[in-house]
Amino acid sequence: MQLQPEQIALWANKLEQDTGVHLGALQASLLGSQIKLRMQALGLEDADSYYAQVCSSPPEWQSLLARLLVKETQFFRNREALAGIQAFVRKKLATQTQGFGIDVCSLGCATGEEAYSLAASLQQALAEPNESGHGNYYSVTGVDLCAAALQTARAGLYPKSRLQQLTAAEIAAIFDPEQQQFRVKQAIKNRVTFIRGNLCDIDSVVAVPMDVIVCLNVLIYFRRWRRRALLNQLVNRLKPGGLLIIGSGELPGWQNSHLTALNLGGVQAYQRH
């Protein structure tokens, strides 16, 4: 079975309309191959009938999206960004006279490594009580469109191969060994929530103002006009003084009158006035 160009175009249009993800010409073959593999698994031969089935069956669309959406991530992927967030938190903490709280959002969190890395970094930064003696609070919300990826994220259970970039001390601080795998410690898991959400509807995804929004290596799959629109919406979801962090080079030259660009290695970082 070979999908025709017009069939590929139909699928690519649905993918972009539903998720914002734009597939270039070089990725069309990936789309076609994944559709064929899913059809073979279901014992189907007619691509048009399968398209109609996907359009009428959200669970089947989710199964296909699990094959199509990029889920490349790792723990502590950008240490400079995490160090910058820690410095931001400690600076705010130094000015507090009461209990201190910080809310962070990880967009395109995939299988959870980034969200848990943020949580571990925040826990370290907030380990000491502030001058008032009050305790400190943090929360991390991980958002992704892929239900299968979020299932892994919520479990917080990873093979040792996923921890290769961590030091022994970091592994001990973040995980409990469980047979041949490692589970995120409950104290960290308790501060992380994972939700399924579509970045094309950002108002429902980020429902409350955030202190930090991280959107790394997500925008590269969107058209430039959609990147700008999404970023401008995210600015409105930042608390005054909040941080917005996106991948380096995802939208060079982008500016917003409410933001000041920061020098934070390896990423594009901005702070709201």
Side-chain angles (χ1 to χ4, degrees), residues 72-128:
E72 176 62 32
T73 185
Q74 63 184 29
F75 288 101
F76 287 69
R77 186 174 187 177
N78 193 304
R79 290 182 179 273
E80 289 179 291
L82 292 172
I85 293 171
Q86 285 185 319
F88 165 78
V89 170
R90 288 177 174 131
K91 183 177 180 180
K92 292 193 70 171
L93 183 61
T95 66
Q96 302 300 309
T97 58
Q98 297 181 351
F100 175 69
I102 182 167
D103 298 306
V104 177
C105 186
S106 169
L107 297 176
C109 68
T111 46
E113 287 89 333
E114 180 180 272
Y116 287 128
S117 297
L118 286 163
S121 298
L122 292 170
Q123 181 152 301
Q124 183 182 35
L126 296 173
E128 298 296 328

Side-chain angles (χ1 to χ4, degrees), residues 139-196:
S139 71
V140 177
T141 301
V143 180
D144 202 89
L145 185 58
C146 181
L150 289 173
Q151 186 175 8
T152 298
R154 293 187 181 107
L157 186 64
Y158 301 91
K160 188 175 182 179
S161 60
R162 301 298 295 170
L163 280 55
Q164 291 180 349
Q165 66 277 17
L166 302 180
T167 66
E170 288 170 339
I171 292 174
I174 301 171
F175 300 93
D176 291 320
E178 188 168 305
Q179 296 182 348
Q180 300 300 313
Q181 301 187 88
F182 291 81
R183 188 179 297 278
V184 176
K185 288 182 179 293
Q186 195 62 45
I188 295 176
K189 284 190 69 178
N190 288 344
R191 301 299 182 91
V192 183
T193 301
F194 292 101
I195 62 173
R196 192 168 77 85

